[in-house]
Structures are given as C-alpha cells and as structure tokens.
Amino acid sequence: MRVVYNSFNGRYADNPRAVHEALVSRGDDAEHVWLLDERHRAGFPAGVTTVGVGTPEADAALRRADVVVANTHMPLDWEPTPGCTYVQTWHGTPLKRIHGDAHTQYDGELMARLQAEVDRWSCLVGPGAAGSELLRSAFRYQGPVLSTGYPRNDVLHAPDAGERRAAVRARLGLADGERAVLYAPTWRDDEDLLEPGVPLGLDAARLADHLGEGWRVLMRLHYFVQRVPGVEHERVLDVGAHPDIADLYLAADAFVTDYSSSLFDVAPTGLPVLLYAYDLEHYRDRLRGFYLDLDEESPGPVLRTQDALEEALAALPAVTDAWAQRRAAFVERWCPSDDGGATARLLEAARL
C-alpha cells in the first residue's frame, strides 16, 4: 500500500500526522510519502520520506498512491487514479462559514474548481452528528462522512498526556510552576496577511504585564498569517513555528481564541477556554458569519475588550466553574467523539 499525506500543504501535523503515526506503529509493509513545504522541514521526524509540494516528484507520488490522506484541498488539477482512496480529514469543525457558505470569499471560477476537488473525495471525516452534517452541507458533499472524531485530538486524551505536556513545556522553556496562556486567533479575510504592520487584536505585552511574574503568553497566529507577532517582551513567546498545535494545548494552562476551529478541539479537555471577540459584530455581520450564536452556545466567556479578558484570566477557577454547564452542552453537541479513539475508528471505517 502506498500512502501520500498532505497537511496544510507541507507540514507534519494535524489529522494526517495522527493517521501516519498509527499506520507506521502497526508495522504494515506500506510506503509512506509526505508532501513537504521546505520552510517546515524541521517539523518532520527523521526518516520520513518527503517530496516537495508542487514538484514533479509530488505529482508522481500522487499518481502512484493507493491512499491519500489530506486535511486541506489537494492541487486542484490532480485527480485520484482509479482505485485510490482519498480520505479528506479537513482541519477542524468550522465556527466561521466556509466553502459554499462563505459567498464573499471565492470568485465563481475558483469555487467551481474547489467544488470539483471536493467531488473527488472518497470520504470526509467528521466530529459527530451535528458537526458532520455541517461539513457535508458547507462543502455540498454527497459522499460518505465518517463521524469518527478527529485523530489529531487523540493525544489530548491519551494516558501519556501528562508526560507529553511536561516534555513540550521543557522544549518551550517553561519552568515548573510557571503558567502559560495560549493565544491562537484565526485569520481575517480583510487583512493583508503578509503585512507586518497590521496590528494584532491582542496587546500581548500588556497582557503579560497584567498577569505578572509566573505567567507566559504563547502567541500562535494562524498559518495563513505570514507575519510574526513582533512583540518584544521577556514573557511573550512566539510559538507559530511549533509543528503541531496539539502540543501547545497540552503545554498551556489557559486558552484564548476568537473564531478558530481550535475552540472545538479544546472544549472537551480540562483547559480553560476564553473567547477574545473584539471584532465580533464586524466578523459575524460583514466579514464571514458563524454557524452558531456565540453568545448562546460558546463553551467559555465571550469577551469584547482586553480589560474583560484580563479580568477573566485573573479569576480563572471561578470563570471555569461558572461555564461548566454550558461547556458540557457544547461538547455533547459538537465534540461527542473526542475520547482518544478517533484514529482507530477512522482506520477501521476507511478500511486502511
């Protein structure tokens, strides 16, 4: 069996990584090839076979593949050969509207090409009934949806999660007893994603000063955003180059996002969740729109100002307790399969 993997067009991460690790650990006589973006080569473990994204070697690998596992769109001019199984895991349950529901994001020609690529999927991975139906509808997808949960989240519920947390924190330079807040916002369609002068929604240095000694702020911008945070502060750490965000969830003691699908990954864990929604009305009403009402369904407080965010972080135990019931309802609806067994279920369902 020849398996080709694509995660975020060239990284070793996310659902394809979990599938790869499971297949390799099984010890089958299989050939595994990853699409690689050279900028992220350091994130690949030794011994993994790679081919450059967009190269003739990548085209050849895809033509020979028996199985393709991807978490994003593959090259739009590639068509699986007869008998090839194309497993599309996507990269999370969307909070913001995507694909066919994001009418302002794509022109007609691009949407037609994206839809043709969707129609090549052999199966789509989903998180459970509600999330799977959302994905099917957004992608206008008629094929099978495997509601197994996301393999990438198994590590968050694994028996060795505590050991992995300690190892990641050591690599990041976090001291024993030091607390870390992870800030992982999504991208915005109306920003120049390459422009370093675009201000961040969060003043990370101010947040670090407010939290004081014993706290670190971990900045994880969306991978679409090429600029670095540009924050000069001894307790603010840019973790944008870390290969897999799951490690950062484990390392953190609090999680702050806005409208990222990471919200659905973190909600089933014990990590406190806060939404810093400083531009909620603009994003919801003019930019993209949401699939759920955050004020009614969010698993954590929706905070419109940095003052409110700082106050909530200073009162974490009480905030977490106050939102426990809402969080449980959110998990039951949107993340019912995040229990550590998603990879095994996917391998069985997809017959890999």
Side-chain angles (χ1 to χ4, degrees), residues 249-322:
Y249 299 150
L250 291 171
D253 300 283
F255 178 66
V256 178
T257 188
D258 44 19
Y259 323 119
S260 169
S261 63
S262 56
L263 178 69
F264 297 88
D265 301 324
V266 174
T269 73
L271 189 62
V273 175
L274 304 97
L275 278 73
Y276 179 43
Y278 61 90
D279 60 350
L280 188 148
E281 287 77 12
H282 173 68
Y283 201 103
R284 180 192 63 202
D285 300 335
R286 291 182 291 279
L287 197 56
R288 185 68 78 91
F290 302 132
Y291 287 112
L292 62 154
D293 186 332
L294 284 176
D295 288 325
E296 295 295 327
E297 294 190 64
S298 169
V302 180
L303 308 161
R304 310 299 180 89
T305 67
Q306 183 155 338
D307 285 342
L309 173 63
E310 291 169 351
E311 291 174 7
L313 285 169
L316 267 186
V319 170
T320 302
D321 290 345

Side-chain angles (χ1 to χ4, degrees), residues 170-249:
R171 290 202 301 271
L172 294 175
L174 299 176
D176 291 343
E178 190 173 28
R179 290 182 290 177
V181 53
L182 172 62
Y183 179 52
T186 191
W187 63 288
R188 284 151 173 77
D189 306 69
D190 59 350
E191 288 186 353
D192 184 341
L193 304 180
L194 300 177
E195 175 55 55
V198 175
L200 298 173
L202 178 76
D203 185 335
R206 171 186 149 178
L207 178 61
D209 285 335
H210 177 85
L211 294 173
E213 295 291 338
W215 277 92
R216 297 282 288 277
V217 178
L218 310 181
M219 298 288 291
R220 174 76 168 202
L221 301 188
H222 191 279
Y223 74 101
F224 276 8
V225 181
Q226 299 300 308
R227 67 182 187 273
V228 298
V231 177
E232 297 295 334
H233 194 289
E234 62 181 358
R235 294 196 309 279
V236 176
L237 181 61
D238 174 17
V239 293
H242 194 87
D244 204 319
I245 195 171
D247 290 340
L248 304 177
Y249 299 150

